[in-house]
Amino acid sequence: MSTTNLEGSVRDRLLAAANELFYQEGIHTVGIERVIERAGVAKASLYSTFGSKEELVRAYLEERAAARRRRISERIAQIGRA
């Protein structure tokens, strides 16, 4: 079942679809066709936004790393207030 939000910019939709599919099934097993289908965008939109699957993967990994850093920082701040 898809939980990808079909609202927002093409970039946001592609990253949401990539996040869902890559996390569940792995980067190497998920093809571009599945990502664009899940995101509800045309293949040309993916390539005009990211240029390649590799760049989509890079953006996906950067977003996951940023989210992890935010969670760690929030937890450290909570501990500091205790």
Side-chain angles (χ1 to χ4, degrees), residues 7-8 15 22 27 33-34 42 47 51-52 54 57 65 67 74 77:
E7 295 179 6
L15 283 171
F22 293 164
I27 291 169
E33 294 296 329
R34 299 230 1 252
Y47 288 109
S52 66
E54 289 77 18
V57 169
E74 289 167 3

Side-chain angles (χ1 to χ4, degrees), residues 19-70:
N19 186 52
E20 184 178 326
L21 292 169
F22 293 164
Y23 183 77
Q24 289 174 356
E25 302 176 31
I27 291 169
H28 295 291
T29 62
V30 176
I32 289 301
E33 294 296 329
R34 299 230 1 252
V35 175
I36 62 174
E37 179 182 325
R38 182 68 53 96
V41 302
K43 187 183 279 191
S45 295
L46 179 134
Y47 288 109
S48 68
T49 303
F50 291 103
S52 66
K53 179 181 179 182
E54 289 77 18
E55 287 302 309
L56 173 62
V57 169
R58 184 190 55 73
Y60 156 74
L61 292 172
E62 284 177 351
E63 288 217 353
R64 289 191 59 82
R68 174 167 277 181
R69 284 190 299 274
R70 281 191 303 275

